[in-house]
Amino acid sequence: MFWFLLIALVVVVAAVTLAVVGGGSEAVLPEAEPDRVADALPESRPVVRADIDALRLPVAPRGYRMAEVDDVLDRLAAELAERDARIAELTAARAHAPADRVDLTKEER
């Protein structure tokens, strides 16, 4: 009985060793894909509220991945700055508009 258990132990250890080391040049397990933002923000158009609602950031063992969160926040900050500049530009253009122009945004009473 002792010899049977010893041989079984050697076979199990050899099998585990081969599984860990791999069978030659071919890897046993494929490389794990790194966690990335599942629903990335669109590059071809401005970000809208639905994009932010659908955004899911990958979770790391100790919380969120700081690099991913920083990338998303940088993108949102740039788009907000662009929108603020556009609003300021339109506000300045409206302030310098001639007084005789009709304002189409107001309802007539």
Side-chain angles (χ1 to χ4, degrees), residues 1-107:
M1 182 70 165
F2 173 75
W3 291 108
F4 175 74
L5 291 176
L6 184 62
I7 292 172
L9 179 65
V10 169
V11 169
V12 169
V13 169
V16 170
T17 303
L18 285 176
V20 170
V21 173
S25 63
E26 186 177 320
V28 176
L29 297 175
E31 291 294 322
E33 294 182 26
D35 289 338
R36 295 286 178 232
V37 175
D39 296 318
L41 298 176
E43 296 291 332
S44 60
R45 62 176 171 77
V47 177
V48 295
R49 173 66 189 252
D51 297 328
I52 302 301
D53 290 340
L55 183 66
R56 297 293 174 256
L57 298 171
V59 179
R62 293 181 51 188
Y64 289 100
R65 294 184 185 274
M66 290 192 309
E68 296 289 333
V69 174
D70 289 344
D71 290 344
V72 169
L73 291 177
D74 289 344
R75 170 79 189 277
L76 292 175
E79 290 215 11
L80 287 174
E82 183 179 322
R83 288 180 187 174
D84 289 344
R86 180 72 176 144
I87 289 171
E89 178 185 318
L90 293 173
T91 303
R94 184 180 222 180
H96 295 349
D100 61 340
R101 289 182 60 186
V102 177
D103 188 3
L104 299 176
T105 60
K106 292 183 181 178
E107 294 181 16

